[in-house]
Amino acid sequence: MDETSRTRHAVDAYVDSTERRDWAALSELLAEDVIYEMPQTRERIRGKAAFLQFNSEYPGDWHLEVRRVVADGRQAAALLDARVGAEHQDACVWFEVSEQGLISRVTDYWPEPYEPPSGREHLVERW
Amino acid sequence: MDETSRTRHAVDAYVDSTERRDWAALSELLAEDVIYEMPQTRERIRGKAAFLQFNSEYPGDWHLEVRRVVADGRQAAALLDARVGAEHQDACVWFEVSEQGLISRVTDYWPEPYEPPSGREHLVERW
């Protein structure tokens, strides 16, 4: 398996184990010194133990589904569908993988819906 | 040049030509039936002419800089730093490229800063 395939596999397994709340499986994918960042809130979590705790304590009956994974050597990006009840939100997640194939950095973006500015109605359609 | 390299090159050139307002150069990168989507506002623009007009009419002295490109066959994702004056915002952009190497779909996310929810202060640091 080449580096890109290994990275893609790690990202798929990351989403799958998180969705299943299989913290043992998730733990095996993570570097000990994994860094998790949410730039929108300027929050950072350091280390596997804290990151696993963050995920296991995360409130709500949330569900994750992969919509797209783009892998490139030891980097990847995933577009996820995150659902709580009937509410869907897209997440953009950036990954870095160590030489050993462990996930060493995760950067999460949670873009929220908003109303479009006026002045471009002549160019766009809405859905 | 393999497919992934060609896609990466197209994404770099897309950002570069847009930053330089070089609409002729941008036009050469785009498929005629390019689709541009902004899922946060549920807006869609169809076709090269409308997309070029949208970009050329976009207000403000905005600047784009690539922070990361992940390319994978005919798909890619780019993390951009978008700046207007002293205001920075990250953009997450997803690309699809045609068999001919032209950009056929662009999906833009503009995640906004927000205040973190309480209850996870014991796990996170702020920056």
Side-chain angles (χ1 to χ4, degrees):
Chain A
M1 186 153 60
D2 68 9
E3 206 167 59
T4 293
S5 300
R6 190 178 67 169
T7 297
R8 187 181 295 112
H9 184 77
V11 169
D12 283 329
Y14 170 94
V15 178
D16 178 63
S17 58
T18 305
E19 165 62 18
R20 290 187 292 103
R21 279 65 167 165
D22 185 343
W23 310 123
L26 177 58
S27 177
E28 288 190 6
L29 301 169
L30 302 174
E32 279 301 328
D33 57 353
V34 61
I35 290 179
Y36 176 69
E37 289 185 340
M38 292 170 280
Q40 290 167 276
T41 55
R42 298 176 180 269
E43 289 175 291
R44 181 183 296 120
I45 294 172
R46 289 182 190 272
K48 187 194 282 204
F51 183 55
L52 290 169
Q53 188 180 347
F54 173 78
N55 275 285
S56 65
E57 289 179 4
Y58 204 92
D61 182 28
W62 47 267
H63 294 281
L64 302 176
E65 198 174 319
V66 168
R67 291 178 47 200
R68 196 187 297 204
V69 173
V70 183
D72 187 359
R74 283 164 38 201
Q75 294 201 72
L79 181 57
L80 305 184
D81 175 71
R83 182 174 63 75
V84 178
E87 292 279 310
H88 289 264
Q89 188 175 8
D90 295 341
C92 299
V93 190
W94 302 84
F95 294 90
E96 292 175 34
V97 167
S98 72
E99 271 183 50
Q100 293 73 37
L102 298 172
I103 293 170
S104 57
R105 186 177 283 264
V106 180
T107 307
D108 256 16
Y109 289 92
W110 296 92
E112 295 267 3
Y114 63 92
E115 282 305 302
S118 61
R120 60 201 199 194
E121 302 81 355
H122 56 303
L123 297 172
V124 305
E125 61 185 52
R126 304 290 303 279
W127 80 82
Chain B
M1 186 154 58
D2 69 9
E3 208 168 57
T4 293
S5 300
R6 190 178 69 170
T7 297
R8 187 182 295 112
H9 184 76
V11 169
D12 282 330
Y14 170 95
V15 178
D16 179 62
S17 58
T18 305
E19 164 61 20
R20 290 187 292 103
R21 278 69 166 165
D22 184 344
W23 310 124
L26 178 58
S27 177
E28 288 189 8
L29 302 169
L30 301 174
E32 280 301 328
D33 57 353
V34 62
I35 291 179
Y36 175 69
E37 289 185 341
M38 291 170 280
Q40 290 167 277
T41 56
R42 297 176 179 269
E43 288 175 293
R44 180 184 296 119
I45 294 173
R46 290 181 189 273
K48 187 193 282 204
F51 183 54
L52 289 170
Q53 189 179 346
F54 173 78
N55 275 286
S56 65
E57 290 180 4
Y58 204 92
D61 182 27
W62 47 266
H63 294 281
L64 302 176
E65 198 174 319
V66 167
R67 292 179 47 202
R68 195 187 297 205
V69 173
V70 183
D72 187 359
R74 284 164 39 201
Q75 293 201 70
L79 181 57
L80 305 184
D81 175 70
R83 183 174 62 76
V84 178
E87 290 279 311
H88 288 264
Q89 187 174 9
D90 295 341
C92 300
V93 190
W94 302 85
F95 295 90
E96 292 174 35
V97 167
S98 73
E99 271 183 48
Q100 292 73 38
L102 298 171
I103 293 170
S104 57
R105 186 177 283 265
V106 181
T107 307
D108 257 15
Y109 289 92
W110 295 92
E112 296 267 4
Y114 63 91
E115 282 305 303
S118 61
R120 59 202 200 193
E121 302 84 352
H122 56 302
L123 297 171
V124 306
E125 62 187 49
R126 303 290 303 279
W127 81 82

